[in-house]
């Protein structure tokens, strides 16, 4: 009987070692932190229109990843594209980083789940919001009818978590697993779309990055990244509710004031992760 | 011994210290390299090869051979069956320990 206990102890020790060796979270945390810190440079104000003239308000190609409350940005499309590209480049660089690291360490973590969750969030925010608004019939708008939107948000979110949990059980066969993943991610997209209804400040990309960080914590089973991810998600939510911004200054300063806290959380987390990784190698 | 005794859940292919270790490490990763497994499990290349062959033949692992520059490298990944077998083995071991402790 002690053989069973010993085997379980060995399994636990090997699992801990593999998780420790697979961790390489400093790079993605620092990269996303830097990408967020650079974003304010895109928020240049337009010159005021001449007296007696009106300027057309351009919200850019992706309203949730765009100018938000600003109606006078010089390059609103640049803001939208910056956030979309920051997510794409950030994720692509993360995948590249873990592959490169695998060549050195001999162990590669599976980042496909991260891509799935982030894909669901991006699809929900960019495609789901207009679809949801056109499909769900309300007396006014979904924003002003929380009795309709909140059940969609929490219902789809809960169902998505249950379906994804069911799909990812180790004994699940390929067919039901694929079907479950499809349904689970679709429900997750619907929940993100319902959340997107309330995001009026154009910083939804921060919530996508928060999902990327939290998924990374889950993949790496890393307490440090989980703590960083929760703090970052809270800061991202505050920014998206307009809590951190003061609107009476140059737009770049206003945006920097809002993004400094979430960016700092990732950068400090990244530095701590780098120190921990280095200490672990000694 | 009754049919539902935890030892009935033990699989001869998996219920071996090193093979269980290989599956455990592979389950924590997308793929793991031969050299990492050899070092983590403190095995000779020959012994590790033999265990890997058993697990690959049982459909619990996949093996992919390639090159990193001029250096040959062998990568191992776990299959769905491998994950299920590992999960079943760990559950059986835990049940066995719990039965002994109670």
């Amino acid at each position: 009987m002690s053989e069973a206990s010993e085997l379980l102890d060995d399994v636990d020790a090997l699992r801990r070692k593999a998780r420790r060796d697979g961790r390489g979270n400093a790079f993605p945390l620092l990269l996303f932190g830097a990408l967020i810190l650079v974003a304010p440079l895109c928020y240049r104000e337009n010159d005021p229109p001449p007296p007696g003239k009106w300027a057309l308000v351009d919200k850019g190609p992706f309203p949730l990843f765009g100018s938000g409350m600003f109606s006078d940005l010089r390059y609103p499309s640049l803001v939208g594209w910056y956030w979309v590209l920051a997510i794409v480049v950030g994720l692509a660089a993360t995948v590249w980083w873990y592959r490169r690291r695998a060549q050195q360490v001999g162990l590669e973590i599976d980042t496909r789940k991260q891509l799935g969750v982030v894909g669901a969030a991006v699809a929900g925010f960019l495609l789901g919001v207009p679809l949801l608004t056109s499909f769900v019939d309300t007396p006014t708008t979904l924003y002003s009818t929380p009795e309709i939107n909140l059940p969609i948000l929490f219902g789809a979110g809960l169902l998505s978590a249950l379906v994804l949990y069911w799909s990812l059980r180790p004994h699940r066969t390929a067919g039901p697993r694929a079907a479950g993943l499809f349904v689970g991610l679709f429900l997750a997209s619907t929940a993100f779309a319902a959340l997107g209804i309330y995001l009026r400040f154009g910083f939804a990309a921060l919530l996508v990055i928060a999902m990327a960080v939290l998924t990374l914590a889950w993949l790496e089973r890393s307490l440090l990244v989980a703590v960083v991810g929760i703090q970052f998600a809270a800061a991202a939510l505050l920014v998206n509710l307009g809590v951190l911004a003061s609107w009476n200054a140059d737009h770049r300063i206003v945006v920097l004031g809002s993004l400094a806290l979430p960016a700092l959380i990732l950068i400090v987390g990244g530095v701590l992760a780098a120190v921990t990784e280095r200490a672990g190698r000694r | 011994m009754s049919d539902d005794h935890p030892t009935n859940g033990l699989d001869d292919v998996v219920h071996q210290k090193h093979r269980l270790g290989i599956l455990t490490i592979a389950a924590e990763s997308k793929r793991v390299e031969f050299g990492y497994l050899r070092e983590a499990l403190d095995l000779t290349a020959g012994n590790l090869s033999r265990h890997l062959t058993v697990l690959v033949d049982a459909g619990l692992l996949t093996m992919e051979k390639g090159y990193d520059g001029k250096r040959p490298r062998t990568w191992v990944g776990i299959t769905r069956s491998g994950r299920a077998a590992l999960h079943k083995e760990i559950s059986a071991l835990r049940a066995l320990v719990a039965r002994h402790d109670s």
Side-chain angles (χ1 to χ4, degrees):
Chain A
M1 202 62 56
S2 64
E3 188 210 345
S5 294
E6 275 173 30
L7 276 175
L8 283 173
D9 289 344
D10 286 349
V11 163
D12 280 344
L14 284 172
R15 188 177 283 153
R16 277 197 301 275
K17 174 178 166 49
R19 285 177 182 175
R20 197 173 54 238
D21 292 343
R23 282 177 195 152
N25 44 52
F27 174 78
L29 292 179
L30 290 170
L31 175 67
F32 277 115
L35 287 170
I36 293 169
L37 266 189
V38 172
L41 295 175
C42 303
Y43 288 76
R44 190 167 171 195
E45 263 175 86
N46 210 353
D47 296 329
K53 299 271 183 182
W54 295 91
L56 284 175
V57 174
D58 181 2
K59 288 279 181 184
F62 314 111
L64 263 69
F65 293 2
S67 42
M69 302 306 278
F70 301 120
S71 56
D72 55 348
L73 289 178
R74 178 167 288 190
Y75 309 113
S77 294
L78 175 67
V79 174
W81 279 110
Y82 178 81
W83 283 118
V84 169
L85 287 176
I87 291 167
V88 172
V89 168
L91 286 179
T94 302
V95 171
W96 166 82
W97 166 252
Y98 279 105
R99 289 210 159 173
R100 181 182 168 276
R101 224 179 148 269
Q103 296 295 336
Q104 297 165 345
V105 180
L107 190 89
E108 181 179 349
I109 67 157
D110 192 350
T111 48
R112 283 172 298 183
K113 287 174 189 154
Q114 189 187 36
L115 297 180
V117 172
V118 169
V122 171
F125 286 148
L126 294 188
L127 306 173
V129 172
L131 281 175
L132 196 64
T133 314
S134 60
F135 278 123
V136 180
D137 193 27
T138 61
T140 52
T141 63
L142 271 175
Y143 184 84
S144 55
T145 48
E147 68 278 12
I148 296 173
N149 198 45
L150 288 181
I152 296 175
L153 169 57
F154 291 110
L158 185 67
L159 269 177
S160 161
L162 290 173
V163 171
L164 288 175
Y165 177 77
W166 178 86
S167 311
L168 293 172
R169 299 302 295 153
H171 54 272
R172 198 68 60 217
T173 51
R177 182 171 183 266
L181 286 175
F182 177 78
V183 173
L185 290 176
F186 175 78
L187 287 166
S189 274
T190 309
F192 283 115
L195 177 65
I197 297 288
Y198 297 113
L199 307 178
R200 295 294 174 99
F201 289 85
F203 295 119
L206 291 183
L207 291 173
V208 176
I209 295 171
M211 294 312 298
V213 175
L214 288 170
T215 316
L216 189 65
W218 169 47
L219 291 176
E220 290 196 344
R221 305 294 196 276
S222 165
L223 181 63
L224 172 67
V225 182
V227 171
V228 170
I230 289 168
Q231 289 177 336
F232 178 78
L237 211 56
L238 289 178
V239 171
N240 273 287
L241 296 173
V243 174
L244 297 178
S246 144
W247 301 97
N248 302 318
D250 181 293
H251 292 349
R252 283 168 289 192
I253 304 292
V254 171
V255 173
L256 181 64
S258 287
L259 297 183
L261 177 65
L264 208 63
I265 290 171
L266 289 189
I267 289 169
V268 170
V271 170
L272 283 176
V275 171
T276 312
E277 272 173 39
R278 184 162 288 190
R281 280 202 295 269
R282 277 185 195 149
Chain B
M1 193 180 292
S2 66
D3 283 348
D4 62 350
H5 193 278
T7 49
N8 291 327
L10 299 174
D11 179 344
D12 287 344
V13 176
V14 182
H15 187 70
Q16 196 280 344
K17 183 181 170 179
H18 294 124
R19 291 205 279 267
L20 193 57
I22 293 168
L23 286 174
T24 299
I25 293 172
E28 293 299 322
S29 59
K30 181 180 174 190
R31 55 183 193 149
V32 57
E33 210 261 325
F34 187 90
Y36 181 92
L37 286 172
R38 202 181 56 191
E39 212 168 281
L41 298 165
D42 198 19
L43 284 171
T44 63
N47 268 336
L48 177 58
S49 280
R50 274 190 288 280
H51 288 307
L52 287 178
T53 303
V54 171
L55 292 167
V56 170
D57 288 348
L60 306 181
L61 288 181
T62 57
M63 203 187 280
E64 173 199 329
K65 291 179 189 252
Y67 285 88
D68 176 21
K70 286 185 177 177
R71 191 174 153 207
R73 302 196 89 172
T74 302
W75 293 91
V76 171
I78 194 166
T79 63
R80 296 295 305 165
S81 309
R83 278 188 199 279
L86 176 65
H87 181 71
K88 196 175 161 205
E89 177 75 12
I90 301 277
S91 301
L93 287 173
R94 286 195 180 133
L96 211 54
V97 171
R99 193 175 174 121
H100 180 256
D101 290 345
S102 62

